[in-house]
Amino acid sequence: MAKLTLVDRKAGTGTLDRLISDFLQAPTKTGETRSRKTGLIYRDALEGVLLPYCSAAGVSEPAQLTDRHMKELTDRLLDGTGSRSGRPLAKPTVHSYVRAINTFLAWVKDSGEAVGAKAQRPKLERRILDVLTRNEIEGMESAAGLERDKLIVRTLADSGIRLGELLKSTPDDVLTEGRRHFLRVRGKGSRDRKVPIAPALAQRLKRFARHTRRESASARLFLTHKRSPRTGDYAALTESGVQQMIRLLALDAGITKRVYPHLFRHSFITWQLECGMNPILLSRVVGHESLTMINQVYAHVTMDTAYDALMKSLLAD
């Protein structure tokens, strides 16, 4: 393997440099704007990893990239010779970089440029997720002293929404359409969706908004319990505040494993798959663009679910 010295992206790589700039400013395939977090991930992978490698390898045009280049780039990230720190990168980190680079190369090809290279992502061990049982969730809700905190636990557990989505909610986002109840969610990339919620939870949220929630200049549903010393007003809850609250409630409920807000999302998806919910419908409820995430992360429930579903249909025949 040839020894390469990574250079600063300011050295430029011709057409590739321009294409990366265009890609970072382009909307997604569905015409939506990428979230700030997603944009930073792509920028880091393309400007911080791909461009320096291409500059050192003398590659300035997409057509010059080969599978050999991509393999060399991946290998160098894994062994540390191509990382900015000089230390080997973990497989999940390299996997994320390669996925972003491949997305960019596919976009370049769709734009009419000649490119045939594609990087192979390092194989990752399947994660076995630790989830919360329904009894543990009940215990955490019971341990909460404030109705606000009880509702945060119950809404995260019974809707599968992300913490950031929950904290963006306003009283007007609790919807009733006939006998059906929904929570309007502002998801990633400005994608709104309606998430079904149980009637009892909808009534609790509405009652909280009318009678318990403090008056505030903020339109958010969930506010701090004390006034801000700086503004004298009740501010919108922050993610760090809820994360700390969740940790303390888990301890109060006697749960010894690590509990964090996103664990409720994993637990909800696992629960619904085990109950036999259609994965396609479930992906829409939780805001996944495709089934890829469910297939990769929740494979641990598919065999048991498949067995139970098959036995149910066979015994009913």
Side-chain angles (χ1 to χ4, degrees):
M1 183 182 297
K3 180 176 177 56
L4 297 176
T5 303
L6 295 189
V7 299
D8 191 273
R9 88 170 285 277
K10 292 179 181 178
T13 51
T15 304
L16 269 178
D17 203 343
R18 174 182 58 80
L19 287 170
I20 286 176
S21 179
D22 291 346
F23 171 80
L24 293 174
Q25 299 177 54
T28 64
K29 286 185 177 180
T30 57
E32 298 164 339
T33 303
R34 295 187 184 89
S35 68
R36 180 177 179 275
K37 182 178 179 181
T38 301
L40 290 175
I41 291 173
Y42 279 116
R43 186 176 297 277
D44 187 39
L46 300 176
E47 294 186 345
V49 176
L50 180 62
L51 269 183
Y53 171 83
C54 290
S55 294
V59 173
S60 60
E61 303 293 328
Q64 294 176 315
L65 277 173
T66 65
D67 288 345
R68 177 182 171 279
H69 285 123
M70 294 294 94
K71 183 179 186 305
E72 184 176 52
L73 172 59
T74 302
D75 290 344
R76 287 171 55 77
L77 293 173
L78 289 170
D79 66 22
T81 58
S83 71
R84 282 164 287 187
S85 65
R87 297 189 297 271
L89 298 184
K91 283 187 177 181
T93 301
V94 178
H95 190 278
S96 177
Y97 281 146
V98 170
R99 183 171 57 184
I101 291 170
N102 281 340
T103 300
F104 164 70
L105 293 177
W107 177 86
V108 170
K109 186 175 182 179
D110 290 343
S111 300
E113 296 283 345
V115 58
K118 183 177 181 180
Q120 294 298 315
R121 290 180 285 184
K123 292 184 178 180
L124 302 179
E125 295 181 1
R126 287 195 180 274
R127 293 183 295 164
I128 302 299
L129 292 176
D130 194 2
V131 297
L132 291 165
T133 67
R134 301 303 289 177
N135 286 337
E136 287 173 330
I137 292 168
E138 183 71 33
M140 290 183 63
E141 185 178 0
S142 299
L146 300 175
E147 176 66 2
R148 179 202 67 182
D149 299 348
K150 291 178 182 289
L151 282 172
I152 288 174
V153 170
R154 182 52 56 188
T155 304
L156 288 174
D158 287 6
S159 68
I161 64 176
R162 304 173 179 91
L163 175 58
E165 295 171 339
L166 176 72
L167 295 182
K168 292 177 184 176
S169 299
T170 70
D172 292 337
D173 289 328
V174 185
L175 308 175
T176 298
E177 299 177 2
R179 295 185 176 182
R180 298 179 176 182
H181 304 274
F182 302 91
L183 186 62
R184 181 169 51 211
V185 173
R186 295 163 181 81
K188 286 185 174 181
S190 302
R191 292 188 295 270
D192 292 357
R193 67 185 189 279
K194 291 191 300 184
V195 176
I197 56 176
L201 177 57
Q203 293 304 317
R204 286 179 63 187
L205 288 169
K206 289 182 177 180
R207 188 165 53 246
F208 172 79
R210 288 194 304 264
H211 304 299
T212 308
R213 177 183 176 275
R214 311 296 181 108
E215 289 295 327
S216 170
S218 172
R220 300 293 170 82
L221 178 59
F222 295 109
L223 306 173
T224 56
H225 188 57
K226 296 181 179 179
R227 294 182 185 272
S228 167
R230 184 173 59 85
T231 64
D233 200 2
Y234 297 102
L237 275 180
T238 63
E239 292 196 12
S240 60
V242 175
Q243 288 164 355
Q244 182 179 12
M245 181 266 287
I246 292 295
R247 285 195 299 268
L248 294 176
L249 287 181
L251 292 174
D252 291 342
I255 301 172
T256 56
K257 60 190 168 193
R258 177 173 172 257
V259 179
Y260 48 96
H262 209 72
L263 185 59
F264 288 92
R265 181 172 170 85
H266 292 320
S267 304
F268 173 82
I269 295 174
T270 299
W271 174 44
Q272 289 302 309
L273 287 172
E274 289 176 342
C275 288
M277 186 174 183
N278 185 312
I280 296 176
L281 297 178
L282 180 57
S283 68
R284 294 175 182 172
V285 168
V286 299
H288 285 158
E289 289 188 349
S290 69
L291 292 175
T292 302
M293 182 65 73
I294 287 180
N295 288 336
Q296 289 180 346
V297 180
Y298 301 95
H300 63 289
V301 301
T302 56
M303 288 308 300
D304 288 341
T305 302
Y307 178 85
D308 292 341
L310 181 59
M311 290 301 104
K312 183 177 179 179
S313 63
L314 290 175
L315 294 174
D317 187 7

